[in-house]
Amino acid sequence: MFVYEKKLQYPVKIKNTNPRLASLIISQYGGPDGELGASLRYLSQRFSMPYPELKGLLTDIGTEELGHLEMIGTIVHQLTRNLTDEQIKTAGFDTYFVDRTTGVYPTAASGFPYSAASMACKGDLIADLTEDLAAEQKARVTYDNILRLSDDPDVNDVIRFLREREIVHFQRFGEGLRVAKEKMDQKNLYFVNPSFDH
């Protein structure tokens, strides 16, 4: 069971609208390496995780990713509130606006809507934890790219916080992978014994 605390994990207070920047940041909402996919990936992987402490790790990080999804949605909303028709047209936000107005919709910056196909859940703890390490690195790179393109200090402050959390998650998944390898029966572990036959 989840308990919802009615505040963001980190405050989001964007002073200036910027629909062009919103159309880039939306990728961390519903893009291939975004927070929606991360939360669903980890909360789905936990069901087949055989070790309680790793199931807890996936649940904790998956739940935190839901909070990050809320933060990204808040950034996009604040960047697109009270837009004029001119801002919509000149910022290149018109194609998004036609379909979504200023609703926060899970999509990539490239315009492709969210797809669960970008989310990996194999049911093998080594495959899943290795995927999770890669997912956190890909999300960090996306945040790096946003920081390269953004000149809004209010946005950058929040993006830096989210980027730091990706690094922490990467470290936790690295520790989790080490724990998994220690717990598994080495003689039946395929990455140690390629002749493994179950």
Side-chain angles (χ1 to χ4, degrees), residues 99-115:
D99 292 333
R100 311 285 169 216
T101 317
T102 57
V104 178
Y105 177 75
T107 187
S110 60
F112 290 100
Y114 174 76
S115 169

Side-chain angles (χ1 to χ4, degrees), residues 2 41-49 54-55 58-59:
F2 298 107
R41 175 186 302 111
Y42 307 146
L43 293 175
S44 296
Q45 288 175 351
R46 71 191 175 131
F47 292 106
S48 60
M49 189 56 63
L54 298 179
K55 188 179 296 233
L58 288 164
T59 303

